[in-house]
Structure formats: structure tokens, C-alpha cells
């Protein structure tokens, strides 16, 4: 019997049993994705690379799998005030292993000197949760008072016997909603030789954006060089519809783009049409200063010209000369003027000057 059992044992130990490799997905894999892939398209800091960098022997080492990323920003790295940002934080193996961690939302003040590090300051009342080993999350909805500031998520690593270390997410710029009244529209007659003018929405809180970009279109194609407040129709426009797009930019606010309704199809010029020139306003847009409009040379000769000044979109009563002295009532408004041309047996025509900057005190 003993010999039989020994024989069976010999047979069993001589058989090669195939093995199957198995992988258990642990939190470390998710952490590896976070630290290695930088939260995909979301705004985040590949702090795994940062923490794996060269450190002094007495610095706390967060480890390769300690990192933080922030999601919720748009593709430009901006978030609208009131919208929620989410920080994803992973705490990996540290040196020393029992180092204390402290996570919190912070303001990022970029350094003017590229060789100097950014300065991060904690946002009052925006501490994150107690950080545990592995994945953690924290949310923050920037208030309107954060407009124009950059926010990030910071994690401090400390130990009494070591020098503290910090990692941070990429920063997100906080912008506020930009209001508007009115719409983008076109003023003028869609006929070859005539001038079209862009009537723009009034932006609040500022009627004087840092950036105003206009592009005129013939059908769906942009017209080369047609990027001003006015556009004079050419023979190439005949039979086509014309519209424009305008984009506004102001520091600390979300950008806005408006599209006007098209006009046309553009008609061919008639013998009774006046050919206007593009009027231009000269002078400083300050209270007490005088603005003057130059109407340009209209065709044919002998055209009688009249003027009407506007503050924003409102006509100024009695302001019907070629010059205008600015008053306190115009502060914050952009000034413009309409030049009207008349001649017997010809069609009355209007031309519009591009508006000034908002009037200052």
C-alpha cells in the first residue's frame, strides 16, 4: 500500500500543470492613470513626475504615485464663477511613510520671473477632506469674488524630521459671466458701392472691451481684410448675402461671440446712387475734449452732408454738427456719428463712423 501511494505521488508531481497569470486591479492602477495621464483632457498637474524629481536627502518625498489634478475647466483652462471644480488627489507611498498630508484649495500667483516658482496661498475656508492613502476628491465652486484669479489644489507633506514638500495641480483661471443687451445687426443698404455698418450689442459691466474682433462674410466665406466696423460693398458682393461675426474679450470675463442676421442679396449699383466715403472720428474720448468727424470725399461732387452724434446707441439731442464737445453725461459711452448725404435726383445715403473708446472722466 505504501508503495502504491508513493507511485501515485511520483506521477502527480511529474505532471506539468499550466498556470494562468492573473492581475488584480488595485487602487494603484487608478493612481497610475491619474499621475501618468494627467487626467486626460482635464486641467491637472502631472505631479508624479514632480515628486519623482531630485530632492534633498532631508525633504519629504511624496513618491511617484502622489499627485493631484483638477477637472471642470474648459479647453482654455477657464471656469465660470459658480461652477464646480473637482480635485482628484492620490496619496502614494511616501518617505517617511507616516508623513502628514494637508490638502486645500489655493490661489496661484504666477511669478514674473520664469526662473522663480509660483506662489501659492490657501483660500480661506476651502480646506479639502482629510487625505487618506489612495484616491481622494475635493470640490470647490469659485465665487464671483475670485474673478481674475487663478485657483489650484495644493497638497503639503510634512514630518518633524524632514523639510516639508508641496505638490499642486495646474491652475484654473476664474472668469465671470459677461452680460449684454441688444444684438449684432447690420445698418445700411445692401447695394454695390454702399457702406454697411456693424451695430454691436452693449456689453456689461463694460461697454469698452479689451478686445473687439469683427469679421465680415460673403455667404459663408470670410472676406479678406474686412475686419472693421464698416464694410463697403464691391462688385464681388453682387447677388450674395452679407453678415458679420463679432467677438468680445475682457480680462476676467468669459469671451462672447455674436453673429448678425445676413442682409441681401446685394443689388447692383444704380446711376442714382451716391458713393459715400468712410467718415472718421478724431480726438480724445475724455470729458471736456472735442471730437471731430472727417466725412471724406463723396461722389459725385456737390453732396450736402449732415451729422448726428450718438452716445452708445442713443442719439444726442442737438448734436448735429461735425464736432462734439464731450460732457459728463457721456462717461462710459462709446461715441459714434452718422453722416447723411443728399443730392437732387440721387438716393439719400448714410455712412457710419467707427465708434470711439468709452469716454473717460
Amino acid at each position: 500500500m505504501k508503495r502504491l501511494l508513493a507511485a501515485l505521488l511520483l506521477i502527480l508531481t511529474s505532471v506539468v500543470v499550466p498556470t494562468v497569470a492573473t492581475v488584480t486591479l488595485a487602487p494603484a492602477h487608478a493612481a497610475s492613470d491619474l499621475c501618468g495621464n494627467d487626467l486626460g483632457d482635464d486641467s491637472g498637474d502631472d505631479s508624479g513626475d514632480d515628486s519623482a524629481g531630485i530632492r534633498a536627502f532631508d525633504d519629504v518625498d511624496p513618491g511617484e504615485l502622489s499627485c493631484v489634478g483638477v477637472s471642470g475647466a474648459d479647453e482654455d483652462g477657464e471656469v465660470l464663477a459658480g461652477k464646480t471644480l473637482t480635485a482628484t488627489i492620490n496619496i502614494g507611498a511616501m518617505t517617511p511613510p507616516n508623513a502628514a498630508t494637508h490638502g486645500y484649495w489655493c490661489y496661484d500667483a504666477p511669478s514674473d520671473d520664469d526662473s522663480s516658482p509660483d506662489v501659492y496661498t490657501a483660500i480661506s475656508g476651502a480646506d479639502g477632506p482629510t487625505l487618506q492613502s489612495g484616491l481622494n476628491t475635493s470640490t470647490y465652486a469659485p465665487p464671483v469674488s475670485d474673478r481674475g484669479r487663478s485657483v489650484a489644489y495644493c497638497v503639503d507633506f510634512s514630518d518633524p524630521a524632514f523639510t516639508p514638500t508641496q505638490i499642486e495641480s495646474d491652475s484654473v483661471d476664474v472668469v465671470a459671466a459677461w452680460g449684454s443687451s441688444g444684438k449684432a445687426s447690420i445698418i445700411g443698404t445692401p447695394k454695390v458701392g454702399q457702406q454697411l455698418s456693424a451695430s454691436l450689442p452693449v456689453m456689461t459691466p463694460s461697454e469698452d472691451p479689451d478686445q473687439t474682433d469683427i469679421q465680415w462674410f460673403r455667404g459663408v466665406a470670410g472676406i479678406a481684410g474686412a475686419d472693421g466696423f464698416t464694410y463697403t460693398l464691391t462688385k464681388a458682393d453682387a447677388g450674395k448675402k452679407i453678415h458679420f461675426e463679432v467677438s468680445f474679450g475682457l480680462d476676467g470675463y468669459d469671451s462672447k461671440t455674436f453673429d448678425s442676421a445676413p442682409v441681401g442679396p446685394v443689388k447692383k449699383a444704380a446711376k442714382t446712387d451716391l458713393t459715400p466715403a468712410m467718415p472718421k472720428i478724431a480726438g480724445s474720448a475724455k470729458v471736456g475734449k472735442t471730437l471731430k468727424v472727417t466725412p471724406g470725399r463723396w461722389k459725385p461732387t456737390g453732396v450736402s452732408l449732415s451729422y448726428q452724434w450718438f452716445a452708445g446707441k442713443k442719439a444726442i439731442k442737438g448734436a448735429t454738427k461735425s464736432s462734439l464737445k464731450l460732457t459728463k453725461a457721456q462717461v462710459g459711452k462709446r461715441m459714434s456719428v452718422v453722416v447723411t448725404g443728399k443730392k437732387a435726383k440721387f438716393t439719400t445715403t448714410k455712412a457710419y463712423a467707427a465708434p470711439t473708446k468709452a469716454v473717460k472722466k
Side-chain angles (χ1 to χ4, degrees), residues 187-188 195-198 229-230 277-279 310 337-339 350-354:
I187 302 172
Q195 181 198 79
L196 300 180
S197 177
F229 283 90
T230 60
M278 185 180 297
F310 287 77
V337 63
V338 176
V339 181
K350 297 180 183 292
Y352 302 81

Side-chain angles (χ1 to χ4, degrees), residues 1-360:
M1 185 66 178
K2 291 181 178 179
R3 289 182 178 180
L4 179 60
L5 290 173
L8 288 172
L9 180 62
L10 178 63
I11 292 171
L12 290 171
T13 55
S14 64
V15 173
V16 178
V17 180
T19 58
V20 178
T22 59
V23 177
T24 301
L25 295 178
H29 288 79
S32 180
D33 288 342
L34 171 67
C35 298
N37 293 338
D38 201 19
L39 280 181
D41 293 333
D42 292 325
S43 174
D45 179 35
D46 190 355
S47 300
D49 290 341
D50 177 48
S51 60
I54 298 174
R55 297 181 183 277
F57 72 92
D58 60 347
D59 285 354
V60 175
D61 185 356
E64 292 185 357
L65 291 184
S66 290
C67 52
V68 55
V70 170
S71 61
D74 62 19
E75 60 184 9
D76 296 321
E78 297 179 341
V79 65
L80 197 62
K83 298 293 184 180
T84 299
L85 295 172
T86 300
T88 303
I89 312 106
N90 191 74
I91 302 300
M94 304 173 289
T95 302
N98 294 322
T101 57
H102 176 215
Y104 53 96
W105 290 91
C106 51
Y107 292 125
D108 175 10
S111 172
D112 294 333
D113 182 359
D114 291 339
S115 62
S116 299
D118 291 0
V119 177
Y120 296 87
T121 56
I123 300 175
S124 178
D127 269 13
T130 301
L131 297 176
Q132 307 292 333
S133 178
L135 291 171
N136 304 259
T137 60
S138 177
T139 59
Y140 177 63
V144 175
S145 58
D146 280 352
R147 180 184 64 82
R149 305 192 75 166
S150 298
V151 300
Y153 195 86
C154 296
V155 181
D156 293 339
F157 298 81
S158 61
D159 185 276
F162 290 77
T163 302
T165 301
Q166 183 184 77
I167 62 174
E168 316 87 15
S169 72
D170 280 351
S171 60
V172 174
D173 296 327
V174 181
V175 296
W178 204 4
S180 64
S181 61
K183 59 183 180 180
S185 59
I186 295 175
I187 302 172
T189 303
K191 185 181 287 188
V192 171
Q194 300 301 301
Q195 181 198 79
L196 300 180
S197 177
S199 177
L200 307 181
V202 175
M203 307 303 296
T204 53
S206 174
E207 195 180 336
D208 197 16
D210 293 336
Q211 185 177 0
T212 303
D213 295 326
I214 295 176
Q215 177 62 57
W216 292 86
F217 290 82
R218 180 186 299 123
V220 296
I223 303 171
D227 55 4
F229 283 90
T230 60
Y231 173 63
T232 301
L233 297 164
T234 68
K235 291 180 179 179
D237 299 317
K240 307 291 185 180
K241 289 189 175 183
I242 306 295
H243 75 280
F244 73 89
E245 288 183 358
V246 57
S247 298
F248 297 99
L250 182 65
D251 187 37
Y253 290 87
D254 59 332
S255 59
K256 291 284 189 181
T257 299
F258 300 86
D259 193 355
S260 75
V263 296
V266 176
K267 297 179 180 180
K268 294 181 179 180
K271 292 182 178 180
T272 56
D273 290 339
L274 294 175
T275 302
M278 185 180 297
K280 295 181 179 180
I281 299 173
S284 178
K286 287 186 177 182
V287 173
K289 300 292 184 180
T290 298
L291 300 178
K292 184 175 177 60
V293 61
T294 302
R297 184 174 296 177
W298 289 51
K299 294 180 181 179
T301 59
V303 177
S304 175
L305 301 176
S306 60
Y307 307 89
Q308 176 60 63
W309 289 88
F310 287 77
K313 293 192 174 185
K314 186 176 181 180
I316 303 172
K317 187 176 180 180
T320 55
K321 297 182 179 180
S322 60
S323 61
L324 176 70
K325 187 173 182 179
L326 298 173
T327 68
K328 292 181 180 180
Q330 282 107 40
V331 170
K333 302 294 185 182
R334 304 179 77 174
M335 310 304 294
S336 60
V337 63
V338 176
V339 181
T340 301
K342 293 183 178 181
K343 184 178 174 67
K345 298 182 180 180
F346 284 82
T347 303
T348 298
T349 302
K350 297 180 183 292
Y352 302 81
T356 67
K357 291 282 188 179
V359 175
K360 295 181 180 180

